[in-house]
């Protein structure tokens, strides 16, 4: 991009944002549109033609010829179908047109997107509707309209629709609580999200030599390099020139699209990096993260690099996650997870905190399942990653407050402040002291929670839909309890509610080392769930309590839940199927021929030595070892292929996913172990594809 990139001038230049709207729309239309956006409503047809026309003119000036209703299907990053603005005049000429109808609603053919059976029961058609709270933008010659995608009968076919529903739900519930604390001016509470995105960069040329990276996004084979991440020199080292150029290019693209890319740095593993934006409303943050991932991949190619977003591209070193920072904010920007200063602010904060603790304990299965994917299975519970057990980290200060509350004691800190809910206030928490524990999957970090289990490749819509809904549920129950209470009894009633809630759910709080084996035992004693794999987690979607929850708040209908469960299971099976086929193929057509050639050459040397009377001791021992492992490799490759055939023959989605997990995946691991051992014996020149050394230390 341009040599002299002026960030202030270029920021959001490709976005039809509020400023552009103000410039381009008649005053009354602008006002009406703003109101629609603020209230999260649908666009009125009386103004849609004017908005569409202004949008089209603006987009054409920016070089666009097409428009697309951009949406987030249930699998894959995003989907788009591009239509041009042209409209024939009948005399061989065209004009560029874009109507309000075309802006508000699109009708892509839904039949090629997974619907989990919704389509079969209802209609093949799908609709997309503009989410006006997420601005349209121009990219690559098209006007992009962020939309929600649903079926003829109104079932959501995407990830965005449930997220938007959950944002409404948590807003309504939070407003009821705010009212109890005397706030009657806030009209909407917004779930805010900041998604820190980790990724790997590898050389494009090296990447192109590995079928596993091309087909599956991760290495299915590979012995560890002599050096890993043990020195932590990557994290603390300076950013390499080539990577810095990539990051700069990425930033400039993101800024043009109004994405507030803020932080970039190296990560712990070699070749691993991170990009973090400034937080935004959850739906916007979701759109922006999807765009960020797309651009990360695209721009890497311009730099002869490939960006890997897989959760575990390499065994033996850290995988990639996406820390989902989440909070609730009023429409005038008051962060509800900020402890605040006055007694009433503190009490309100503790109410939200208790609601979250209760929510996470009651619906830990949903949180776990919201981050379940075949890629993330490698991460959860593995090196540096949070375990598959959901627990909350509060930090020392907040823990002391909670303890004091439950034990009915006064809370003192440095001899300064006392605490009595709603009457006296809390001392300030030093913010940085809350984030020392990096091993917790769900950590309070001063004024927000950080959900660290999310995988790097995942759409954050899912986890945030769950978070919003489960917290809405706790808040609704609290409001039901407190709303009838007389004003003079309020503090007492609140106190009791908080104490009882925390007592009941404190088992989910854990401030210790979440990576230790002791925690697994302790968690089991506490009765906390440990849903180790995706296949263990997914069936929880339709557990009775979860169906009841989502139905109560209208976030998912029962049909939608069953559909999604089916899609998740099918997706699991499909991914493992592709991995297994790739692994078997690489073993049979690349590794086997290579090791046989090596074996032959070694044997030839041994034979020639013997012919002149030299005992080929080393050659013989290597040849024997290689011969032995070659036989095992061949056998294991065939076992894997047989397991795939077996799994493919199972028709029940859950039983099939189970088989892919228990048998196919296990066989893949067995095959890999043999191949990786061979890699350490067979000469480098013989090995058919680039090794970990070349992949990780060559950018
Ligand atoms: P780190 O976690 O690396 O210490 P920060 O805590 O500064 O960094 O921020 C991490 C992410 O959390 C950023 O994307 C930031 O915008 C986001 N964040 C900060 N405040 C909030 C909030 N109130 N709601 C949601 N995300 C937030
Ligand atoms: Mg963080």
């Amino acid at each position: 991009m341009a040599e002299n990139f002026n960030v202030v001038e270029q920021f959001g230049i490709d976005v039809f944002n509020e400023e552009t709207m103000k410039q381009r729309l008649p005053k009354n239309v602008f006002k009406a549109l703003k109101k629609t956006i603020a209230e999260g409503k649908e666009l009125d047809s009386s103004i849609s033609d004017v908005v569409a026309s202004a949008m089209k003119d603006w987009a054409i000036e920016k070089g666009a010829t097409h428009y697309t209703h951009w949406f987030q299907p249930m699998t894959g990053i995003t989907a788009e179908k591009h239509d041009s603005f042209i409209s024939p005049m009948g005399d061989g000429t065209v004009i560029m047109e874009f109507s309000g109808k075309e802006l508000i609603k699109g009708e892509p053919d839904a039949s090629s997107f997974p619907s989990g059976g919704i389509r079969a029961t209802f209609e093949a058609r799908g609709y997309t509707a503009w989410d006006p709270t997420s601005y349209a933008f121009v990219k690559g010659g098209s006007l992009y309209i962020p939309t929600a995608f649903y079926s003829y009968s109104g079932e959501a076919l995407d990830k965005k629709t449930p997220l938007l529903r959950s944002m409404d739900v948590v807003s309504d519930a939070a407003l009821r609580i705010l009212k109890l604390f005397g706030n009657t001016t806030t009209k909407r509470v917004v779930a805010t999200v900041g998604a820190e995105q980790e990724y790997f960069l590898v050389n494009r040329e090296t990447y192109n030599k590995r079928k596993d990276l091309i087909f599956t996004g991760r290495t299915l084979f590979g012995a560890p390099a002599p050096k890993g991440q043990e020195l932590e020199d990557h994290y603390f080292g300076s950013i390499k020139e080539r990577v810095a150029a990539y990051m700069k290019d990425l930033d400039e693209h993101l800024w043009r699209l109004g994405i507030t890319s803020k932080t970039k740095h190296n990560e712990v593993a070699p070749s691993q990096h991170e990009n973090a934006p400034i937080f935004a409303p959850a739906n916007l943050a979701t759109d922006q993260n999807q765009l960020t991932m797309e651009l990360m991949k695209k721009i890497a190619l311009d730099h002869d690099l490939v960006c890997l977003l897989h959760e575990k591209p390499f065994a033996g070193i850290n995988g990639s996650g996406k820390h989902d920072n989440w909070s609730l904010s009023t429409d005038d920007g008051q962060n509800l997870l900020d402890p605040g200063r006055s007694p009433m602010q503190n009490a309100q904060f503790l109410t939200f905190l208790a609601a979250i603790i209760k929510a996470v304990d009651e619906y830990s299965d949903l949180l776990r399942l919201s981050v379940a994917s075949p890629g993330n299975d490698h991460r959860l519970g593995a090196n540096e990653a949070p375990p598959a057990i959901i627990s909350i980290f509060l930090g020392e200060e907040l823990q002391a407050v909670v303890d004091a509350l439950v034990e009915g004691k006064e809370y003192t800190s440095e001899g300064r402040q006392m605490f009595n809910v709603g009457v006296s206030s809390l001392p300030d928490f030093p913010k940085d002291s809350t984030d020392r524990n990096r091993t917790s999957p769900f950590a309070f970090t001063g004024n927000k929670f950080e959900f660290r289990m999310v995988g790097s490749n995942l759409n954050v819509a899912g986890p945030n839909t769950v978070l919003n809904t489960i917290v809405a549920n706790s808040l609704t129950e609290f409001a039901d309890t407190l709303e009838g209470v007389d004003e003079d009894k309020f503090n007492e009633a609140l106190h009791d509610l908080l104490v009882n809630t925390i007592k009941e759910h404190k088992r989910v709080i854990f401030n210790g080392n979440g990576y230790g084996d002791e925690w697994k035992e302790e968690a089991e004693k506490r009765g906390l769930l440990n849903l180790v794999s995706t296949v263990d987690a997914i069936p929880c979607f339709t557990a009775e309590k979860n169906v009841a929850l989502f139905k109560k708040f209208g976030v998912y209908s029962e049909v939608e839940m069953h559909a999604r469960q089916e899609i998740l299971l099918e997706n699991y099976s499909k991914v493992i199927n592709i991995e297994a086929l790739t692994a078997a193929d690489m073993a049979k057509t690349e590794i086997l021929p290579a090791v046989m050639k090596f074996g032959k050459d070694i044997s030839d040397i041994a034979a020639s030595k013997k012919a002149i009377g030299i005992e080929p001791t080393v050659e013989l021992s290597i040849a024997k070892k290689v011969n032995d492992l070659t036989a095992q490799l061949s056998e294991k490759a065939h076992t894997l292929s047989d397991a795939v055939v077996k799994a493919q023959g199972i028709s029940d989605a859950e039983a099939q996913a189970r088989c892919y997990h228990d048998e196919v995946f296990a066989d893949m691991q067995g095959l890999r172990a043999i191949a990786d051992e061979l890699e350490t014996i067979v000469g480098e020149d013989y090995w058919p594809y680039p090794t970990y050394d070349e992949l990780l230390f060559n950018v």
Side-chain angles (χ1 to χ4, degrees):
M1 218 164 255
E3 277 294 299
N4 298 310
F5 187 90
N6 184 320
V7 182
V8 175
E9 275 172 24
Q10 301 284 309
F11 188 84
I13 196 151
D14 291 337
V15 185
F16 196 72
N17 55 21
E18 197 175 313
E19 198 194 326
T20 314
M21 287 175 190
K22 199 171 175 179
Q23 280 168 13
R24 300 253 173 181
L25 294 172
K27 215 171 180 176
N28 61 331
V29 174
F30 171 70
K31 268 190 164 164
L33 181 57
K34 244 194 101 172
K35 190 156 178 275
T36 305
I37 293 172
E39 290 169 3
K41 294 229 173 83
E42 253 181 57
L43 189 65
D44 195 283
S45 59
S46 64
I47 60 163
S48 59
D49 275 331
V50 183
V51 177
S53 173
M55 230 186 229
K56 174 209 67 183
D57 290 342
W58 169 83
I60 288 173
E61 282 168 35
K62 304 200 86 43
T65 52
H66 288 67
Y67 68 92
T68 180
H69 277 218
W70 181 68
F71 60 96
Q72 296 162 28
M74 291 191 262
T75 55
I77 292 191
T78 50
E80 46 197 72
K81 175 188 131 216
H82 299 257
D83 283 303
S84 75
F85 292 122
I86 65 167
S87 169
M89 294 299 286
D91 59 358
T93 64
V94 296
I95 54 165
M96 300 295 256
E97 255 185 353
F98 186 46
S99 70
K101 238 174 82 196
E102 287 167 315
L103 166 64
I104 296 179
K105 206 166 175 184
E107 228 178 286
D109 180 10
S111 57
S112 51
F113 295 100
S115 75
I118 284 175
R119 224 176 32 238
T121 351
F122 301 91
E123 249 221 42
R125 247 182 311 170
Y127 297 98
T128 49
W130 183 32
D131 161 21
T133 56
S134 184
Y135 300 130
F137 56 92
V138 166
K139 186 168 75 74
S142 282
L143 170 68
Y144 282 71
I145 301 150
T147 57
F149 181 41
Y150 55 91
S151 75
Y152 176 71
S153 43
E155 269 86 15
L157 293 174
D158 67 353
K159 296 202 166 132
K160 185 90 176 268
T161 307
L163 175 67
L164 290 170
R165 291 174 184 161
S166 76
M167 288 174 75
D168 286 345
V169 161
V170 78
S171 175
D172 292 347
L175 285 174
R176 283 177 68 187
I177 298 293
L178 291 184
K179 213 164 164 196
L180 289 167
F181 284 92
N183 175 341
T184 50
T185 51
T186 299
K187 289 218 165 51
R188 188 166 170 86
V189 168
V190 185
T192 52
V193 167
E196 302 168 61
Q197 177 74 46
E198 292 180 340
Y199 61 98
F200 280 88
L201 288 176
V202 296
N203 258 322
R204 190 175 184 175
E205 206 188 320
T206 323
Y207 168 95
N208 278 334
K209 290 181 185 148
R210 293 206 50 143
K211 279 189 198 171
D212 48 4
L213 285 179
I214 294 172
F215 294 135
T216 73
R218 74 179 181 101
T219 54
L220 300 172
F221 300 101
K227 176 181 164 178
Q229 62 189 47
E230 57 277 56
L231 296 178
E232 299 206 331
D233 47 351
H234 184 66
Y235 190 82
F236 297 109
S238 60
I239 299 174
K240 287 188 184 139
E241 223 169 281
R242 188 167 168 208
V243 174
Y246 164 77
M247 288 177 166
K248 181 173 188 289
D249 203 0
L250 176 65
D251 271 341
E252 290 175 3
H253 277 85
L254 294 174
W255 289 332
R256 284 181 69 104
L257 287 169
I259 299 172
T260 52
S261 176
K262 174 85 175 159
T263 312
K264 50 188 179 186
H265 57 81
N266 289 346
E267 266 300 331
V268 179
S271 288
Q272 194 186 27
H273 312 278
E274 183 183 295
N275 172 284
I278 295 172
F279 68 94
N283 60 325
L284 205 59
T286 301
D287 288 359
Q288 297 194 336
N289 180 248
Q290 294 298 109
L291 263 178
T292 301
M293 290 198 282
E294 192 187 311
L295 285 170
M296 277 180 163
K297 288 187 171 181
K298 186 179 158 284
I299 292 164
L301 298 178
D302 297 339
H303 293 253
D304 277 327
L305 295 165
V306 175
C307 172
L308 303 177
L309 291 175
H310 194 282
E311 283 83 2
K312 195 77 178 175
F314 306 101
I317 55 170
N318 284 357
S320 297
K322 177 146 54 194
H323 290 176
D324 187 75
N325 294 272
W326 176 92
S327 188
L328 293 171
S329 165
T330 63
D331 44 15
D332 58 356
Q334 185 203 338
N335 183 352
L336 297 175
L337 294 186
D338 194 328
R341 292 190 167 269
S342 70
M344 259 337 201
Q345 282 171 337
N346 289 167
Q348 184 185 297
F349 162 72
L350 288 172
T351 307
F352 280 95
L353 180 74
I356 293 167
I357 294 170
K358 171 178 155 75
V360 172
D361 187 35
E362 285 177 341
Y363 296 100
S364 66
D365 53 346
L366 282 179
L367 280 173
R368 167 67 185 95
L369 119 85
S370 76
V371 298
S373 75
N376 218 12
D377 276 4
H378 297 276
R379 232 186 113 238
L380 297 182
N383 194 10
E384 206 249 1
I389 306 159
I390 305 260
S391 64
I392 299 183
F393 171 81
L394 292 182
E396 240 171 81
E397 283 85 4
L398 196 50
Q399 186 64 51
V401 172
V402 164
D403 287 346
L405 193 62
V406 171
E407 288 158 21
K409 288 189 198 144
E410 286 185 336
Y411 171 70
T412 38
S413 166
E414 291 154 21
R416 270 194 329 131
Q417 297 268 18
M418 317 287 189
F419 181 65
N420 191 339
V421 174
V423 181
S424 62
S425 57
L426 296 171
D428 281 344
F429 304 133
K431 189 179 173 235
D432 53 356
S433 66
T434 53
D435 195 22
R436 275 189 215 121
N437 190 337
R438 307 295 289 181
T439 66
S440 173
F442 198 83
F444 182 69
T445 51
N447 57 6
K448 61 183 166 29
F449 273 95
E450 186 166 331
F451 187 25
R452 301 191 176 125
M453 267 187 171
V454 184
S456 50
N457 215 355
L458 205 82
N459 184 322
V460 291
N464 289 307
T465 300
V466 168
L467 262 173
N468 294 341
T469 311
I470 64 179
V471 172
N473 182 57
S474 305
L475 293 173
T476 302
E477 284 184 26
F478 284 6
D480 288 344
T481 307
L482 294 171
E483 274 168 355
V485 175
D486 290 341
E487 210 174 306
D488 57 333
K489 298 250 166 63
F490 180 76
N491 282 344
E492 201 182 316
L494 177 66
H495 183 91
D496 289 348
L497 177 69
L498 296 184
V499 169
N500 291 336
T501 303
I502 293 168
K503 271 190 185 156
E504 198 178 329
H505 299 289
K506 69 174 198 273
R507 65 171 186 165
V508 79
I509 303 173
F510 177 64
N511 294 304
N513 176 14
Y515 295 176
D517 278 336
E518 316 82 67
W519 170 228
K520 267 188 217 157
E521 283 166 35
E522 166 70 19
E524 199 179 328
K525 274 193 217 136
R526 294 189 189 187
L528 299 179
L529 286 173
N530 185 5
L531 300 166
V532 176
S533 82
T534 294
V535 184
D536 299 321
I538 296 171
C540 299
F541 211 152
T542 49
E544 212 175 307
K545 77 182 215 310
N546 298 335
V547 172
L549 170 84
F550 285 128
K551 264 171 79 174
K552 174 176 170 190
F553 289 100
V555 170
Y556 291 115
S557 69
E558 197 158 351
V559 173
E560 288 169 346
M561 276 178 266
H562 282 281
R564 264 152 224 263
Q565 177 160 313
E566 191 89 356
I567 289 168
L568 286 168
L569 288 167
E570 275 174 9
N571 182 60
Y572 181 87
S573 295
K574 282 179 190 164
V575 170
I576 304 298
N577 187 62
I578 294 169
E579 290 190 349
L581 293 179
T582 308
D585 176 70
M586 285 172 79
K588 290 176 191 166
T589 68
E590 295 185 333
I591 306 173
L592 262 181
V595 298
M596 289 192 289
K597 173 86 171 59
F598 179 74
K600 177 187 176 296
D601 288 356
I602 289 281
S603 309
D604 285 353
I605 299 170
S608 357
K609 276 194 174 176
K610 231 183 170 122
I612 57 167
I614 301 172
E615 193 51 40
T617 332
V618 176
E619 288 82 357
L620 278 180
S621 105
I622 295 179
K624 276 190 76 175
K625 177 101 197 169
V626 168
N627 189 50
D628 191 33
L629 287 171
T630 305
Q632 286 186 49
L633 186 79
S634 169
E635 189 203 310
K636 294 218 183 272
H638 286 99
T639 311
L640 175 60
S641 296
D642 291 346
V644 171
V645 171
K646 179 180 167 193
Q648 284 172 342
I650 300 173
S651 55
D652 176 72
E654 190 174 337
Q656 186 181 45
R658 242 310 124 227
C659 180
Y660 270 107
H661 176 269
D662 295 352
E663 297 184 38
V664 178
F665 184 74
D667 288 343
M668 256 163 66
Q669 299 293 89
L671 175 66
R672 175 181 187 143
I674 305 295
D676 290 359
E677 194 179 345
L678 275 163
E679 191 189 315
T680 63
I681 302 170
V682 171
E684 243 175 53
D685 295 344
Y686 291 81
W687 207 246
Y689 45 76
T691 60
Y692 272 25
D693 312 23
E694 288 165 81
L695 283 165
L696 289 167
F697 296 94
N698 246 345
V699 173

